[in-house]
Amino acid sequence: MTTTDVQDLVEEANATALAQMFAADPVVVDVGRAGDLLPGFADDMVLTSGSPMGWREYTGGQREALIGGALFEGLADDRDSAIAGFDDGSIRVGSCHDHGAVGSLAGIYTASMPVFVVEDRTTGRRGFCNFYEGKEPRRLNYGCYDEDVRERLLHVNNVLAPVVGEAIRRSGGVPLKDLMAKALRMGDELHSRNAAASLLFTREILAALLDMTREGIDGVAETTVHIAENDYFFLRLSMAAAKVTADAASHVSHSTLVTAMAFSCRGFSIRVSGAGDTWFDGPPPVHQGKLFPGYTEDQITWMGGESPITETIGLGGFAQACALPLQGYQGGSADVMLQRNLDMYSITLGENPDYRIPVFDFRGTPTGIDVRKVLETGIMPVMDVGLAGSDGGQIGAGVIRAPRECFEKAMAALSAPEEHEA
């Protein structure tokens, strides 16, 4: 096969993968127990973010989050027995993506935790994401576990999730693509800013919530206030929507389109459509951000994160120009954010027909990260993230850039397709 033939094959594959990504139609249809819904999940498992690793490879906050998950689920009575359980394999560690889920920061899932069920009405694929714990800086997904964290998690399980799930079912599901497109026009980028989307979602289930109130169902008013007061509530829905959207473009032989980006305490990883479910690992991402008062750069640590799934479908850092107020949260300037967003067009395969940027005359967001273009231009994908502290909890926010090594490994693998069947 000539070089031209190979190039034509890749172009055709990328056009197919991108079209499948654009055709995805994510709808949140239910809320349920992770242990009942996630494929391949078992009650003795704790899921976490990033490419799969053995228990002993986890360090720092991500290790602490796994221990906290085991304690919350009752898989161990105390910290020492939790560690012993992980050591001897009676408590197992799993990777969120391997079970159809995406995890924010450490991304902890245990069997009893409620998850949003988002279905792609085009393909029937499902994706899952668990609930936002609340705006307190010390959260399980930020490597913290104590009695306050436990009580908040139980409150999600027993009060918030049942109400939201019932409202979604009574509403017949909530289509997410149009809602997210509208949120972009209202100042969100659907990763670090979800204020408009959270309110729009509340409006979609409001009639059901009112009916439930009239019927005397417990927790409705409290849940409604929780959503209204927590701008990040919708992030978990945008992540699950992004998961099924990106998965729609996966497993297209020869395609160089990126279908997932994630990191762990060890480093950053990507998946590429033409390489199926293979992860390509690299060092930790490069970061630039703004810390909360009282914190310093040396306190920043990595403990996982799969919310960059939003960037793979043209949101987050690829829609920063929609959310210029983020400069007050994560630093930078409006000019820097605009240029950063424009740069992303140089490394993507197309412009999103649904997600558009008003300040760019409603140009579609840059969508479909192309491994080839990343390597040719030297421009690394940018992502909006929260920054975790070495002692647990969130200590700031900012942007990160993926390391080049992941893309080099992916390109090498795609050049030897017989070793990486899609």
Side-chain angles (χ1 to χ4, degrees):
M1 185 177 292
T2 67
T3 300
T4 300
D5 290 337
V6 171
Q7 290 174 342
D8 289 345
L9 197 63
V10 172
E11 293 295 341
E12 182 179 352
N14 282 339
T16 297
L18 190 64
Q20 291 175 183
M21 179 177 283
F22 289 158
D25 183 18
V27 179
V28 58
V29 296
D30 204 356
V31 169
R33 183 177 177 273
D36 298 332
L37 294 169
L38 270 58
F41 194 34
D43 286 352
D44 64 349
M45 296 179 71
V46 181
L47 304 188
T48 192
S49 294
S51 57
M53 299 194 303
W55 155 246
R56 289 178 175 82
E57 295 182 78
Y58 291 99
T59 62
Q62 191 161 19
R63 178 184 171 93
E64 293 302 314
L66 285 165
I67 293 169
L71 294 174
F72 173 73
E73 195 61 30
L75 299 175
D77 294 328
D78 54 39
R79 176 184 171 81
D80 288 343
S81 59
I83 293 171
F86 283 117
D87 282 342
D88 66 23
S90 59
I91 305 174
R92 294 185 288 160
V93 179
S95 175
C96 296
H97 273 282
D98 286 348
H99 300 272
V102 276
S104 175
L105 267 293
I108 300 300
Y109 285 72
T110 65
S112 68
M113 288 181 177
V115 295
F116 288 108
V117 182
V118 174
E119 182 176 285
D120 174 16
R121 289 286 169 85
T122 301
T123 65
R125 286 184 177 87
R126 286 187 162 189
F128 309 90
C129 195
N130 56 10
F131 270 60
Y132 179 54
E133 296 172 46
K135 55 189 174 185
E136 293 79 5
R138 293 183 61 79
R139 306 191 289 272
L140 180 61
N141 70 321
Y142 272 89
C144 301
Y145 188 74
D146 55 26
E147 187 58 28
D148 287 342
V149 172
R150 176 179 177 275
E151 288 300 322
R152 288 196 296 271
L153 290 169
L154 287 174
H155 190 66
V156 170
N157 283 16
N158 299 328
V159 179
L160 306 181
V163 170
V164 174
E166 178 64 16
I168 289 171
R169 291 187 291 272
R170 290 187 182 212
S171 301
V174 178
L176 297 177
K177 182 182 278 189
D178 287 347
L179 187 158
M180 292 160 70
K182 183 175 290 186
L184 291 176
R185 300 194 296 271
M186 296 171 66
D188 285 355
E189 40 73 89
L190 280 309
H191 189 166
S192 280
R193 186 174 171 89
N194 288 272
S198 296
L199 292 174
L200 290 170
F201 175 74
T202 305
R203 187 176 72 172
E204 291 296 317
I205 62 172
L206 183 59
L209 291 172
L210 291 173
D211 285 343
M212 292 161 66
T213 299
R214 285 191 287 267
E215 294 171 18
I217 294 176
D218 291 338
V220 177
E222 183 179 356
T223 300
T224 306
V225 171
H226 172 84
I227 299 173
E229 290 182 344
N230 288 279
D231 291 346
Y232 276 96
F233 180 86
F234 191 85
L235 172 58
R236 307 310 178 89
L237 283 162
S238 69
M239 287 171 60
K243 170 65 174 167
V244 295
T245 301
D247 280 357
S250 65
H251 294 264
V252 178
S253 295
H254 308 292
S255 173
T256 56
L257 180 148
V258 173
T259 55
M261 298 191 290
F263 54 98
S264 69
C265 56
R266 294 289 185 183
F268 195 91
S269 306
I270 65 171
R271 277 179 171 175
V272 181
S273 178
D277 294 334
T278 302
W279 287 101
F280 301 99
D281 299 330
V286 178
H287 74 273
Q288 179 181 7
K290 181 178 180 181
L291 299 178
F292 300 154
Y295 294 101
T296 56
E297 285 280 328
D298 62 329
Q299 292 176 279
I300 295 174
T301 189
W302 304 111
M303 60 177 67
E306 293 175 337
S307 53
I309 192 70
T310 56
E311 275 78 6
T312 64
I313 70 163
L315 300 173
F318 287 62
Q320 275 193 3
C322 290
L324 297 182
L326 272 178
Q327 61 191 290
Y329 176 55
Q330 63 186 27
S333 68
D335 287 343
V336 168
M337 293 175 72
L338 292 170
Q339 186 57 55
R340 189 186 285 140
N341 203 151
L342 288 170
D343 288 345
M344 296 301 100
Y345 287 102
S346 300
I347 62 171
T348 46
L349 292 166
E351 299 182 14
N352 203 297
D354 300 293
Y355 304 139
R356 297 181 177 274
I357 303 175
V359 74
F360 294 158
D361 293 325
F362 288 90
R363 186 177 182 181
T365 63
T367 305
I369 301 165
D370 184 356
V371 172
R372 301 169 306 165
K373 292 184 177 184
V374 169
L375 295 175
E376 289 166 3
T377 64
I379 298 172
M380 297 297 114
V382 67
M383 292 147 274
D384 296 331
V385 299
L387 298 175
S390 54
D391 293 329
Q394 184 178 4
I395 65 170
V399 296
I400 60 173
R401 286 189 183 269
R404 182 181 178 90
E405 288 88 338
C406 301
F407 299 89
E408 291 174 337
K409 290 179 181 179
M411 197 68 248
L414 292 169
S415 299
E418 70 278 0
E419 297 179 12
H420 293 273
E421 292 291 336

